[in-house]
Amino acid sequence: MSRLKETLKSTDAAFFTLALALCVDQLLLGRFAAVSFFDTIEIHFPHYQTLGRLLFENGLFSWYPNVCGGVPAFAGQHPPYALPSLLASFLPLWTLSLIWNLLRVVVSGYGMYRLLTDFLGVDRRVAVLGGLFFCLAWQVSLVLFVLTYAFPLFCVWTFELARGGLDPRGRWLRAAGLLLLSFISYPVLTLPYSPMLHLLLVLLFRRDDPFLRRHVALVFLVWTAYVLLFVPNILSLYQYIPFIHRIYPIHFEGVLPALAQLGRLLAGSLAGNDYLPILIVALPCLVSTRRLRIALALMLAPILIFCIFTPEAQVRHFFQGSFLLKMDLSNARTYASITLVLGFFLALDEMRRRSAFPKAPWLVLAAAAVALGGGSADKVLLRLFPLGAYLAGLAVLLPEGRGLAGRLSAGARWTLLAFFLAGWAMMARQDYMGNTMSVPYAKVFDNHPELTAIAREQDKAPFRVACVDVHPFVAMSHGLETFGQKGPVFNRNYKHYAKAVLLPQLERYDQVEWFDSFWHYIFFSRTENRGPYIDSITLTPSQPRTVDDYSLPLLLAMNVRYILSTSPVLGLQAHADLHQFSPGRGLPIAPAGGRLDREYALPLHIYRLTDAFERGYLAGAAVVLDSDEAVFDVLTVQTLDSMRDTVFLSRQDPALRQGLALPGGAQTGAASPGGIALKSATPDRLVFEGSVARPCLLVVTNNHHPGWTATVNGHPAPVLRANIAFQAVPLADPGPVRVELTFRSPLVWWSHAATGLGILLLLGLGFARSGGPGGAAAAARLCPAPGLGAPAPRWRTLAGGALAAAFWAGTFYLFVYTRDGGRTSRQLLYLLLTTPLLGLALGLWLQGLRGLCPGDPAASGAAVSAPSGSGDESGGENSVEARR
């Protein structure tokens, strides 16, 4: 019982209850809660579900058919057997999302707290504020950046293993934790940044540790094991580079203009950063010691890297042709959240030690940055609230009667801290959810029984679904293959064919140029919306959609059987044998047709096309053209009959060798070449059986890739690239035929030995024994959660949270909700009803935090010695012993 009470009073429990507070609406409403679908859910969650299902049905596979014609299964941001894929095979996607959101808050807040206090020697009260800031910043960010928000905890566990003094249970828990964080992370978002930042932190802030060599060696060992874990992904992505759709255009005007533009980009990034006011008030302290100047350099480094590699930067010209351009190094800006919080709270700890509040001129400059840099009222508040929380947190830690902050009573300081923190959390939530496709889970998942029935039909014979003015993840969440989707990697030939389908929409040269260079998504009807950050799952077209917006013969030829649309498509019913309207399920307790009901319902028109081609069909003739562009030009003028009779090949296909016998040009009135049907289909193997009357080709509308091989009646046969993107197998002899198409990637399969080695290396850390300071008991004990300065009078923090909730609700209702008048599809009513709960929950959490560890706040210093390798001019005064 005493152990349980100690656990409940620990900092671990404090950050867990914080996660409950920040996810309060999701916990209360479940699948009816609204979340931002941007990037993580719209790209990855439907694939988690499909990958998990395919894995349990077929075992480990090498080809994944559900990404725009298919891609190698490991040429993505995670392997098919990633932990989220396994969980999504039996958990509802909204439950998986809720668990991940809770994990993000706990891991980010607790990890930053431990990094500040254990690794950097910051006072524990300051570290709690730093952890709180970090998880508030990440509560409205993408959960897929796992080893960005989990990076602090990753560093701390590595540090503890290097320092030693852990009992066997402690070593095993940390080794297993490193493995778990690694397995749910995305290597392409991690490897360009995390290993280098980890090593820099060790060398810059812990270089005088007696176990430094062991620590550096362990950093190399851990990241080597991480690379080994994902060798199949890394190898498969490298092999797939020649086939990806991305191009990297660079507009270069010269060296001096490029450098001048870089300066403007850097100035703009700093001026547009919501944390600029905090940087201003912390700047005098950040330049005062060598240790803090190092922190300042680290704070600015991710911003500089982002400015160098952002798509519009001309300095990218200096890296043209290098692999760096393919690494999306602009994502370095996500690591700015780590370095900024580290720098801010190292500075705050120094100000606390000196009992110094920022001087008036710096406060005036910060106020100017708030007032002038925000632009709109909500942007001003997004800068004001974090600045106010930072200064109020410092005021709580300072003695009473000292300076401007010291004149405030303890209750007033706690109230201000709660007000600004709750206000920041609510404004950040409003900004993120209001601008990044905020949707209730129930609006997408299991909202249309008709789509579930279509998915069961697809299980019998594969086909694709095209989505008009509705985001493809609505269909993907039911396991359906879609014409297009959002994602990081597509097959470039598939995109070329999709361009031919969408060509009627690309009326101007700038539209064609945009489609060629834009890589974020391939959508069926969003060519008029060119931004990567789409804020709605539905699109209201400028004019009614018609069947002439697409090349219907090419669409049917690529195995598209259903079209989903938010409104009727003029002329399409003549080509469909079924037109069904699905109103979608609204909110059960809401009046039918009301605004709240409309925020949950998603009306869809469902068309089933009559002449859709099967996944594999016979073409009686082949036409060989000189280039892919020539094939493209010919495809754009084809009819449905000519697409059925003829397949178009390009001499750019290496498999089209000289001397290969192909059937000649199509003849009017020629007899059917025969019949063939798909008998079995798994991700890596397709089997067709039938009978052919004359030489012809089997056309399979899966993406062509060198890993596909074919046999015809047991004999090897070439796999040609047909109609720019797909597959064709020549069938030379009349009679019964059995065609097997198999995808193999032997090198990727063998590379799983490296994955096993990586697992053994990480788990092997649990066996490692090393001496070190602290001892097992001291290292393993639970640290009580610290109080923050003078205890607040009862309910002051709850009052602060309530004031913030009332302030936010009033301003949101007056200036956002009433002015909108229902003109947008954003979840404004949902935000108005649920966001104040966040302010109240955060105020209540702060009230609980200040009561967890009453007593002398000076006794809450870090449990380990401060790092001595920082070169801090303040000398021994900055050590834990001096603080004690």
Side-chain angles (χ1 to χ4, degrees):
M1 183 61 69
S2 61
R3 179 69 176 176
L4 176 61
K5 291 181 178 179
E6 186 181 2
T7 302
L8 293 176
K9 290 185 177 182
S10 70
T11 314
D12 315 50
F15 282 102
F16 178 74
T17 55
L18 176 62
L20 300 180
L22 294 180
C23 299
V24 59
D25 63 317
Q26 298 176 56
L27 290 166
L28 293 176
L29 298 177
R31 64 186 295 266
F32 296 103
V35 295
S36 173
F37 274 54
F38 173 65
D39 260 14
T40 306
I41 297 182
E42 67 175 324
I43 296 177
H44 300 284
F45 271 50
H47 290 309
Y48 287 147
Q49 194 174 50
T50 305
L51 286 167
R53 176 177 59 83
L54 292 176
L55 188 66
F56 282 105
E57 290 177 356
N58 304 283
L60 193 59
F61 54 91
S62 299
W63 181 262
Y64 181 45
N66 284 52
V67 177
C68 291
V71 296
F74 288 88
Q77 294 181 323
H78 51 80
Y81 47 74
L83 182 59
S85 298
L86 302 179
L87 294 176
S89 63
F90 63 89
L91 284 178
L93 290 181
W94 70 266
T95 306
L96 177 62
S97 177
L98 172 60
I99 293 171
W100 209 332
N101 288 333
L102 291 169
L103 179 69
R104 172 179 55 180
V105 176
V106 174
V107 167
S108 61
Y110 179 68
M112 180 57 71
Y113 160 74
R114 291 290 309 280
L115 186 68
L116 286 168
T117 188
D118 285 6
F119 192 93
L120 296 173
V122 168
D123 183 271
R124 288 185 57 223
R125 297 164 296 167
V126 176
V128 167
L129 285 176
L132 178 56
F133 261 66
F134 191 58
C135 67
L136 285 181
W138 272 99
Q139 60 130 354
V140 291
S141 297
L142 303 178
V143 298
L144 59 90
F145 287 98
V146 174
L147 274 182
T148 306
Y149 57 80
F151 175 80
L153 192 57
F154 203 86
C155 289
V156 168
W157 283 341
T158 307
F159 166 69
E160 291 179 324
L161 288 167
R163 184 184 61 190
L166 296 170
D167 59 22
R169 178 175 175 271
R171 291 196 305 270
W172 274 106
L173 286 176
R174 284 154 182 79
L178 292 175
L179 182 61
L180 174 64
L181 292 178
S182 298
F183 256 132
I184 64 174
S185 69
Y186 290 56
V188 295
L189 301 176
T190 301
L191 286 174
Y193 324 101
S194 291
M196 182 58 68
L197 180 58
H198 193 172
L199 184 61
L200 282 174
L201 289 177
V202 172
L203 295 178
L204 293 174
F205 292 101
R206 306 294 314 191
R207 69 171 182 265
D208 289 342
D209 285 342
F211 53 90
L212 175 65
R213 290 185 179 180
R214 186 166 64 247
H215 197 176
V216 171
L218 194 60
V219 170
F220 277 98
L221 177 64
V222 165
W223 288 109
T224 298
Y226 184 92
V227 172
L228 291 173
L229 283 176
F230 293 104
V231 164
N233 278 85
I234 297 169
L235 181 61
S236 188
L237 276 169
Y238 182 78
Q239 292 176 336
Y240 198 61
I241 286 175
F243 306 100
I244 64 173
H245 69 300
R246 295 196 191 189
I247 60 175
Y248 302 90
I250 299 174
H251 176 68
F252 184 68
E253 298 176 354
V255 175
L256 292 179
L259 293 176
Q261 185 212 33
L262 177 61
R264 292 192 299 271
L265 288 172
L266 185 58
S269 295
L270 289 172
N273 195 304
D274 290 340
Y275 303 123
L276 177 63
I278 302 179
L279 180 61
I280 291 173
V281 298
L283 189 60
C285 191
L286 285 169
V287 298
S288 63
T289 70
R290 183 172 182 271
R291 182 182 190 225
L292 291 172
R293 287 192 292 271
I294 291 172
L296 178 60
L298 284 177
M299 294 166 72
L300 299 177
I303 301 174
L304 177 60
I305 296 172
F306 164 73
C307 292
I308 291 173
F309 289 98
T310 193
E312 62 266 28
Q314 295 186 35
V315 292
R316 292 190 309 141
H317 171 80
F318 303 124
F319 305 97
Q320 197 160 21
S322 74
F323 197 73
L324 292 175
L325 289 185
K326 298 179 174 65
M327 295 175 64
D328 287 347
L329 291 179
S330 59
N331 284 323
R333 61 183 169 179
T334 61
Y335 282 76
S337 61
I338 300 173
T339 57
L340 285 172
V341 170
L342 286 179
F344 290 155
F345 285 89
L346 283 171
L348 190 140
D349 189 49
E350 184 68 13
M351 287 187 277
R352 178 208 59 81
R353 188 184 65 82
R354 299 174 183 176
S355 296
F357 200 76
K359 302 294 184 183
W362 295 102
L363 294 175
V364 171
L365 284 175
V370 169
L372 302 178
S376 60
D378 56 340
K379 295 299 182 185
V380 169
L381 292 176
L382 276 171
R383 291 184 168 211
L384 175 63
F385 282 126
L387 174 64
Y390 186 78
L391 295 176
L394 176 59
V396 164
L397 295 171
L398 292 178
E400 292 191 33
R402 299 285 294 273
L404 176 64
R407 298 190 184 100
L408 297 173
S409 67
R413 285 183 273 179
W414 274 95
T415 302
L416 287 174
L417 177 62
F419 176 83
F420 284 117
L421 283 173
W424 177 25
M426 291 185 292
M427 281 303 304
R429 186 172 189 262
Q430 172 196 331
D431 180 69
Y432 188 68
M433 295 184 66
N435 294 296
T436 58
M437 194 163 45
S438 166
V439 187
Y441 295 111
K443 189 169 186 173
V444 176
F445 303 135
D446 301 323
N447 196 17
H448 297 87
E450 298 85 355
L451 297 185
T452 303
I454 293 174
R456 288 196 295 267
E457 182 183 340
Q458 181 186 255
D459 290 338
K460 300 175 183 177
F463 54 81
R464 296 188 176 92
V465 174
C467 299
V468 179
D469 298 331
V470 62
H471 201 295
F473 70 63
V474 174
M476 293 165 58
S477 66
H478 292 78
L480 294 168
E481 287 189 49
T482 54
F483 168 90
Q485 55 195 257
K486 185 176 179 181
V489 173
F490 304 120
N491 183 289
R492 65 180 182 185
N493 294 319
Y494 182 92
K495 182 179 180 179
H496 204 181
Y497 186 94
K499 178 182 176 182
V501 175
L502 301 175
L503 198 59
Q505 299 180 39
L506 306 176
E507 299 173 343
R508 302 188 311 272
Y509 175 76
D510 65 300
Q511 292 176 312
V512 175
E513 188 179 50
W514 164 81
F515 186 88
D516 289 339
S517 60
F518 193 72
W519 58 264
H520 294 82
Y521 51 71
I522 301 173
F523 283 164
F524 192 50
S525 60
R526 293 192 179 230
T527 53
E528 58 194 69
N529 186 339
R530 304 186 187 183
Y533 308 116
I534 297 172
D535 61 2
S536 174
I537 65 169
T538 59
L539 180 71
T540 302
S542 57
Q543 56 188 6
R545 298 296 188 192
T546 75
V547 72
D548 296 328
D549 291 339
Y550 323 99
S551 171
L552 192 60
L554 297 184
L555 188 68
L556 294 169
M558 66 181 301
N559 192 217
V560 171
R561 183 174 297 176
Y562 285 88
I563 289 181
L564 312 181
S565 177
T566 57
S567 59
V569 180
L570 300 180
L572 187 58
Q573 195 157 350
H575 302 276
D577 60 5
L578 173 70
H579 177 198
Q580 189 175 11
F581 178 71
S582 174
R585 299 188 180 111
L587 187 63
I589 62 173
R595 181 165 182 177
L596 188 58
D597 183 68
R598 292 198 304 271
E599 292 197 6
Y600 283 84
L602 179 61
L604 288 178
H605 292 263
I606 303 172
Y607 295 88
R608 185 172 63 199
L609 304 178
T610 53
D611 296 316
F613 290 24
E614 298 297 328
R615 182 57 56 94
Y617 64 93
L618 297 178
V623 174
V624 181
L625 300 170
D626 290 335
S627 65
D628 291 350
E629 286 301 324
V631 174
F632 177 88
D633 293 338
V634 169
L635 285 175
T636 59
V637 296
Q638 296 305 303
T639 65
L640 187 62
D641 290 338
S642 63
M643 287 299 297
R644 175 73 72 178
D645 294 337
T646 309
V647 60
F648 299 93
L649 309 176
S650 168
R651 288 193 173 90
Q652 289 182 230
D653 179 13
L656 194 62
R657 60 185 184 273
Q658 291 183 350
L660 181 64
L662 296 171
Q667 300 176 1
T668 304
S672 169
I676 201 163
L678 180 63
K679 291 300 182 181
S680 70
T682 63
D684 293 346
R685 184 171 176 266
L686 301 175
V687 178
F688 295 88
E689 292 181 357
S691 178
V692 299
R694 56 187 172 88
C696 57
L697 294 100
L698 169 63
V699 181
V700 182
T701 50
N702 280 345
N703 284 340
H704 181 272
H705 188 277
W708 282 101
T709 59
T711 62
V712 177
N713 294 330
H715 301 289
V719 180
L720 309 178
R721 183 158 56 86
N723 296 338
I724 297 178
F726 304 124
Q727 303 168 353
V729 179
L731 305 178
D733 301 322
V737 65
R738 176 185 170 91
V739 180
E740 293 189 24
L741 282 159
T742 306
F743 184 82
R744 295 185 179 90
S745 185
L747 191 57
V748 172
W749 275 83
W750 280 106
S751 67
H752 280 86
T755 300
L757 180 58
I759 294 173
L760 291 176
L761 283 176
L762 286 177
L763 292 180
L765 298 177
F767 290 104
R769 294 190 179 186
S770 56
R781 68 177 174 84
L782 286 168
C783 297
L788 295 176
R794 192 167 182 79
W795 307 119
R796 280 301 187 97
T797 58
L798 182 58
L803 284 173
F807 173 80
W808 179 89
T811 54
F812 184 81
Y813 180 79
L814 292 174
F815 299 109
V816 179
Y817 184 79
T818 56
R819 293 186 180 184
D820 173 75
R823 289 186 296 272
T824 72
S825 59
R826 294 183 297 166
Q827 308 299 124
L828 299 182
L829 183 56
Y830 179 89
L831 281 172
L832 180 62
L833 295 176
T834 61
T835 302
L837 293 175
L838 177 60
L840 294 172
L842 197 55
L844 186 62
W845 180 82
L846 283 170
Q847 188 72 31
L849 178 69
R850 60 148 293 279
L852 282 177
C853 187
D856 181 13
S860 60
V864 299
S865 61
S868 56
S870 58
D872 194 339
E873 287 93 332
S874 60
E877 289 183 343
N878 201 40
S879 67
V880 174
E881 289 75 19
R883 285 200 297 271
R884 288 174 177 169

